[in-house]
Amino acid sequence: MLLRDIAHSRTGDKGNISNISVIAYDMAHWPLLEAEVTRERLQAHLDWLEITRIERYVLPQLGALNFVLYGALSGGVTRSLALDAHGKCLSSAVLEMEVPR
């Protein structure tokens, strides 16, 4: 199944850094999110980006993971020629990650 089936996300960005939270719809899915949505899997899933480093923060009380993606925005909004250089579109890409049922 896709991550979007069990979670939603929120994003933010500053310069060339994107901040993405993945939040379980139901706490029953929290153990799966915590186990399967790792830095390594996220890096592989977003391999088309020039991410230099990913930090992962675990927020079990909220059923959420927070990822800070360095180098993810092609230099940032004011430096990129991309149509949408904000981190908001990355949340949709992250939610396309496959996780086991």
Side-chain angles (χ1 to χ4, degrees):
M1 77 180 141
L2 297 180
L3 187 53
R4 74 174 57 257
D5 295 328
I6 61 170
H8 63 100
S9 76
R10 300 284 299 166
T11 63
D13 53 72
K14 191 63 142 184
N16 201 25
I17 300 169
S18 181
N19 180 39
I20 300 176
S21 294
V22 177
I23 308 151
Y25 287 127
D26 184 327
M27 286 302 284
H29 294 119
W30 167 244
L32 177 67
L33 287 180
E34 186 178 22
E36 295 293 330
V37 187
T38 63
R39 287 178 336 143
E40 295 78 18
R41 288 203 60 216
L42 190 60
Q43 179 85 44
H45 182 69
L46 300 174
D47 66 346
W48 46 276
L49 293 173
E50 296 178 13
I51 297 172
T52 57
R53 184 173 93 230
I54 296 177
E55 293 177 3
R56 177 184 184 234
Y57 298 93
V58 179
L59 305 159
Q61 318 87 306
L62 301 176
L65 299 168
N66 186 58
F67 295 93
V68 180
L69 286 61
Y70 293 86
L73 301 176
S74 301
V77 175
T78 59
R79 294 185 58 204
S80 174
L81 297 177
L83 183 59
D84 182 3
H86 293 274
K88 313 261 182 296
C89 290
L90 288 180
S91 66
S92 291
V94 168
L95 292 176
E96 291 295 315
M97 180 187 293
E98 291 188 18
V99 293
R101 286 195 180 264

